[in-house]
Amino acid sequence: MSTVADKLAKKSTHKTPAKQVRLRLVYIDFWSAVKLSFLVAVALAIVTVVSYFLIYLVVSATLLSKLDEFFTSFTDGGATLSQYIGLPQVMAFAAIVAILNLVVVTVLGAVMAGIYNLAVKVTGGLLVGFTSN
């Protein structure tokens, strides 16, 4: 007597031929592109802020005292570099850069979707092939 497991084992050994499908990408939804580019920009902003923080930690641990002495020699001891370059200043600059990148990347994603949608009217779209393996 044959069990269900035997029948499933016989089915899994049978190879089905790979089916190929060719599709044409003729439209990118504008709001989907904006949402996706915004999420990419948020990830890029987080990476920017964290990298600025880590770079500041490395520079302050290794080079800041030497650069401070070099800067003090030019100003006759009146000003130090650490007065102008501190963690709050670096993080404020990182936040400004991250916010500007957020806006720019989001707008670029929207513009690229619009340009692609206009180019599709001329070229007919991007031909993409898929296979089922």
Side-chain angles (χ1 to χ4, degrees):
M1 191 184 243
S2 179
T3 64
V4 176
D6 292 334
K7 289 180 183 177
L8 288 175
K10 286 180 186 176
K11 268 189 175 179
S12 66
T13 59
H14 182 262
K15 269 297 215 200
T16 59
K19 192 182 225 184
Q20 287 187 344
V21 178
R22 291 180 142 202
L23 299 173
R24 193 172 295 273
L25 182 62
V26 295
Y27 179 72
I28 296 176
D29 184 44
F30 180 76
W31 290 113
S32 295
V34 170
K35 288 187 283 186
L36 183 65
S37 63
F38 179 74
L39 288 177
V40 168
V42 167
L44 186 66
I46 292 169
V47 167
T48 301
V49 171
V50 170
S51 63
Y52 271 64
F53 177 71
L54 293 176
I55 289 171
Y56 174 76
L57 287 180
V58 169
V59 168
S60 68
T62 57
L63 296 175
L64 197 57
S65 62
K66 293 175 185 171
L67 290 173
D68 203 14
E69 291 173 9
F70 183 71
F71 187 72
T72 307
S73 67
F74 285 116
T75 61
D76 295 330
T80 61
L81 192 61
S82 58
Q83 290 175 340
Y84 302 110
I85 301 177
L87 186 60
Q89 290 87 3
V90 170
M91 295 312 290
F93 182 74
I96 291 170
V97 168
I99 290 170
L100 288 176
N101 278 342
L102 186 81
V103 171
V104 168
V105 170
T106 303
V107 169
L108 278 178
V111 167
M112 292 301 289
I115 289 173
Y116 181 80
N117 288 338
L118 289 175
V120 162
K121 293 181 180 183
V122 174
T123 63
L126 184 67
L127 187 64
V128 182
F130 293 100
T131 169
S132 64
N133 283 339

